[in-house]
C-alpha cells in the first residue's frame, strides 16, 4: 500500500489525531511501551516527544521471521553478538538526520544491541555499496533510511538472497512488505501536505500566488507531499494559484538559490510551501534578500518541525510547521523484537506527528517537543 492509499485508509478523525500536538510515549505495533532516545541538537526529547503509532487501517497479519521471504533465521538482537546494521541516507548536518541517527544509536546502546552504521551522504549508489559492506561485515538484520524509493534494488536483492531482513524507516523502498523488506515505519506524508495546505489557505484568506519548493525527486516523501498539497489546494482554495514549483533537493542552500530565482521570475509571489524545513530556511533568506518580510509579504508553511523553524513560527516568520518525527530508535528496535518474537510487524507503521502553529510553538519549544 502506498502513502496515498494509506491516507485514504485513515478516517478523518484519525488523520487529525495523527497530526496533533502532544504525542505520548512511543508504542510499537503490539502496543508495548518503550523508552525515549537521548536528546540531540540542544533539544530535550521528553517522553511526549517520542514516536507514537497513529490509528491506521484494519490490521493484517503481521510480518514475522517465519513468514518473511519464505522464512529467515530467528535471532535475539539484544544478545550482544548479533550485528544490526543501520544505513543513514543523508548527512547529519541536517537536524532530522542527526536526531534520527542519535535515536537509533541511543536505543541500540540501551538494549545492548551490537550496531554498525554507515552514512550515504545523499548518494544512492554509495548507500547500495555501504549496505553490501555491512552485510560483508556480518550484519544479520538491517535498518535502512532509503535515499530514494527506487534506487536500492541491488542492496535489497543481496540482503534477500542472504536471508537478511530489512526494516525501512522514514522513506519507502520499492518492493513488497514481508518479502523485500519487513515493513515501513514513517509519517503520513500525504496527510502532512494537506495540513500544510490548510494552514496556507487560512493564512492567505485563500487567495494569492504560491511557489512550491519540492524535495529530492525519486522518493515517496517528495511525491506525496507534492500531491497532497496540490489536491488540497485544488479542492478547498481555488483562489490560491501555484505559479511555480521547483525542486530544491531538501537543501537549505538550494532552497535559497531556487527561491531567489522564483522571486525574480514571479515577483508577485505571496505564499511559499516548502516540503521540508531546510528549504524553508533558504526561502526565508531569499525573501529577505528581495526586500520582503517573511510572514507578512510572503506567507510560508513547511514540514519537519526542527527547532529553528518552530522558533520562526513563534516569531511570525512561518505560518506553521508540520512535524516529521525522526526519533525512530525505540519503535524500530521494538518492531524488530516483535518480528523475531513472532508477534509480527504491520506492513505500514504510521506515526503521529505534531502540528506547530503560533498557538503552541512557544510551548513546544519550552516543553522539549522540538529537535
Amino acid at each position: 500500500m502506498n502513502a496515498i492509499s494509506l491516507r485514504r485508509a485513515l478516517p478523518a478523525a484519525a488523520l487529525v489525531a495523527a497530526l496533533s500536538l502532544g504525542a505520548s510515549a512511543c508504542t510499537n505495533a503490539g502496543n508495548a511501551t518503550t523508552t525515549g532516545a537521548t536528546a540531540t541538537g540542544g533539544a530535550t526529547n521528553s517522553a511526549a516527544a517520542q514516536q507514537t503509532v497513529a490509528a491506521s487501517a484494519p490490521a493484517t497479519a503481521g510480518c514475522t521471521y517465519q513468514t518473511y521471504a519464505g522464512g529467515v533465521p530467528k535471532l535475539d538482537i539484544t544478545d550482544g553478538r548479533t550485528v544490526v546494521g543501520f544505513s543513514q541516507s543523508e548527512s547529519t548536518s541536517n537536524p532530522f538526520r542527526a536526531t534520527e541517527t542519535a535515536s537509533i544509536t541511543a536505543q541500540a546502546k540501551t538494549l545492548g544491541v551490537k550496531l554498525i552504521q554507515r552514512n550515504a551522504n545523499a548518494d544512492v549508489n554509495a548507500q547500495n555499496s555501504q549496505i553490501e559492506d555491512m552485510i560483508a561485515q556480518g550484519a544479520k538484520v538491517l535498518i535502512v533510511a532509503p535515499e530514494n524509493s527506487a534506487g536500492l534494488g541491488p542492496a535489497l536483492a543481496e540482503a534477500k538472497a542472504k536471508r537478511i531482513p530489512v526494516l525501512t524507516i522514514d522513506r519507502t523502498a520499492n518492493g513488497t512488505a514481508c518479502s523485500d523488506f519487513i515493513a515501513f515505519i514513517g509519517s503520513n506524508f500525504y496527510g502532512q501536505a494537506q495540513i500544510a495546505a490548510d494552514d496556507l489557505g487560512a493564512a492567505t484568506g485563500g487567495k494569492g500566488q504560491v511557489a512550491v519548493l519540492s524535495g529530492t525527486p525519486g522518493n515517496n516523501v517528495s511525491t506525496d507531499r507534492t500531491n497532497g498539497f496540490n489536491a488540497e489546494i485544488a479542492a478547498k482554495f481555488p483562489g490560491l494559484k501555484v505559479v511555480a514549483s521547483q525542486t530544491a533537493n531538501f537543501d537549505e542552500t538550494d532552497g535559497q538559490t531556487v527561491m531567489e530565482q522564483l522571486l525574480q521570475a514571479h515577483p508577485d509571489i505571496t505564499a511559499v510551501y516548502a516540503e521540508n524545513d531546510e528549504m524553508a530556511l533558504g526561502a526565508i533568506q531569499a525573501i529577505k534578500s528581495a526586500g520582503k518580510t517573511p510572514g507578512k509579504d510572503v506567507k510560508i508553511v513547511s514540514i519537519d518541525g526542527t527547532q529553528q523553524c518552530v522558533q520562526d513560527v513563534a516569531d511570525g516568520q512561518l505560518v506553521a510547521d508540520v512535524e516529521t518525527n525522526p526519533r525512530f530508535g525505540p519503535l524500530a528496535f521494538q518492531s524488530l523484537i516483535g518480528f523475531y518474537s513472532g508477534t509480527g510487524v504491520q506492513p505500514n507503521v504510521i506515526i503521529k506527528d505534531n502540528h506547530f502553529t503560533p498557538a503552541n510553538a512557544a510551548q513546544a519549544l519550552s516543553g522539549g517537543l522540538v529537535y
Side-chain angles (χ1 to χ4, degrees), residues 23-203:
S24 60
C26 177
T27 59
N28 74 342
N31 296 322
T33 302
T34 62
T35 57
T38 303
T40 63
T44 303
N45 288 351
S46 64
Q50 299 307 314
Q51 288 181 345
T52 307
V53 177
S56 61
T60 59
C63 184
T64 70
Y65 74 96
Q66 296 138 313
T67 58
Y68 183 84
V72 295
K74 185 176 183 178
L75 300 173
D76 177 2
I77 65 169
T78 65
D79 63 8
R81 299 186 304 273
T82 300
V83 178
V84 177
F86 171 52
S87 173
Q88 175 59 274
S89 60
E90 295 174 9
S91 170
T92 52
S93 63
N94 181 317
F96 179 94
R97 297 298 168 185
T99 306
E100 180 180 57
T101 295
S103 180
I104 294 289
T105 303
Q107 190 66 10
K109 183 177 181 180
T110 296
L111 296 174
V113 172
K114 186 175 182 180
L115 184 72
I116 60 174
Q117 53 186 299
R118 303 287 187 274
N119 191 310
N121 288 305
D123 183 337
V124 71
N125 293 322
Q127 188 166 37
N128 275 293
S129 296
Q130 289 172 355
I131 291 171
E132 291 164 357
D133 177 63
M134 286 191 289
I135 291 172
Q137 294 297 312
K140 300 302 182 184
V141 60
L142 296 162
I143 300 171
V144 175
E147 167 57 20
N148 66 47
S149 298
L152 291 183
L156 293 180
E158 178 165 345
K160 186 174 182 178
K162 295 188 175 180
R163 302 175 72 199
I164 297 171
V166 177
L167 179 68
T168 62
I169 62 172
D170 86 51
R171 292 177 183 169
T172 62
N174 287 1
T176 303
C178 212
S179 177
D180 301 296
F181 51 86
I182 297 169
F184 162 72
I185 303 175
S187 296
N188 178 356
F189 305 114
Y190 193 96
Q192 290 176 327
Q194 290 180 299
I195 298 296
D198 290 341
D199 288 336
L200 200 60

Side-chain angles (χ1 to χ4, degrees):
M1 183 183 293
N2 61 27
I4 293 176
S5 57
L6 270 170
R7 176 257 163 191
R8 290 170 179 163
L10 289 174
L15 179 58
V16 172
L19 292 159
S20 62
L21 180 64
S24 60
C26 177
T27 59
N28 74 342
N31 296 322
T33 302
T34 62
T35 57
T38 303
T40 63
T44 303
N45 288 351
S46 64
Q50 299 307 314
Q51 288 181 345
T52 307
V53 177
S56 61
T60 59
C63 184
T64 70
Y65 74 96
Q66 296 138 313
T67 58
Y68 183 84
V72 295
K74 185 176 183 178
L75 300 173
D76 177 2
I77 65 169
T78 65
D79 63 8
R81 299 186 304 273
T82 300
V83 178
V84 177
F86 171 52
S87 173
Q88 175 59 274
S89 60
E90 295 174 9
S91 170
T92 52
S93 63
N94 181 317
F96 179 94
R97 297 298 168 185
T99 306
E100 180 180 57
T101 295
S103 180
I104 294 289
T105 303
Q107 190 66 10
K109 183 177 181 180
T110 296
L111 296 174
V113 172
K114 186 175 182 180
L115 184 72
I116 60 174
Q117 53 186 299
R118 303 287 187 274
N119 191 310
N121 288 305
D123 183 337
V124 71
N125 293 322
Q127 188 166 37
N128 275 293
S129 296
Q130 289 172 355
I131 291 171
E132 291 164 357
D133 177 63
M134 286 191 289
I135 291 172
Q137 294 297 312
K140 300 302 182 184
V141 60
L142 296 162
I143 300 171
V144 175
E147 167 57 20
N148 66 47
S149 298
L152 291 183
L156 293 180
E158 178 165 345
K160 186 174 182 178
K162 295 188 175 180
R163 302 175 72 199
I164 297 171
V166 177
L167 179 68
T168 62
I169 62 172
D170 86 51
R171 292 177 183 169
T172 62
N174 287 1
T176 303
C178 212
S179 177
D180 301 296
F181 51 86
I182 297 169
F184 162 72
I185 303 175
S187 296
N188 178 356
F189 305 114
Y190 193 96
Q192 290 176 327
Q194 290 180 299
I195 298 296
D198 290 341
D199 288 336
L200 200 60
T204 59
K207 296 180 180 179
Q209 297 191 27
V210 183
V212 175
L213 299 180
S214 60
T216 307
N219 68 75
N220 68 304
V221 179
S222 299
T223 300
D224 290 347
R225 285 181 181 169
T226 298
N227 291 342
F229 181 83
N230 289 339
E232 193 78 351
I233 291 294
K236 293 186 177 180
F237 307 106
L240 277 178
K241 306 297 182 183
V242 175
V243 297
S245 181
Q246 187 170 330
T247 181
N249 298 307
F250 289 135
D251 180 76
E252 181 175 351
T253 300
D254 287 355
Q256 181 172 350
T257 300
V258 170
M259 193 69 233
E260 288 170 350
Q261 295 169 349
L262 295 183
L263 285 169
Q264 291 172 2
H266 304 276
D268 294 330
I269 286 171
T270 56
V272 173
Y273 165 49
E275 292 183 1
N276 86 330
D277 281 2
E278 295 296 293
M279 295 187 296
L281 292 173
I284 287 172
Q285 295 306 311
I287 291 164
K288 289 179 177 178
S289 296
K292 299 176 184 289
T293 302
K296 181 180 179 182
D297 300 320
V298 182
K299 308 291 187 182
I300 309 167
V301 296
S302 184
I303 299 176
D304 262 357
T306 61
Q307 189 167 19
Q308 182 58 61
C309 279
V310 177
Q311 184 65 59
D312 288 338
V313 173
D315 293 341
Q317 293 194 91
L318 285 179
V319 169
D321 197 8
V322 182
E323 182 193 43
T324 306
N325 194 327
R327 304 169 185 92
F328 284 92
L331 185 53
F333 282 108
Q334 194 61 46
S335 295
L336 289 180
I337 290 169
F339 171 79
Y340 283 115
S341 72
T343 302
V345 184
Q346 292 299 305
N348 292 285
V349 181
I350 304 304
I351 62 174
K352 294 181 181 180
D353 287 312
N354 291 331
H355 179 205
F356 302 116
T357 70
N360 62 32
Q363 179 185 0
L365 288 160
S366 63
L369 299 181
V370 179
Y371 61 94

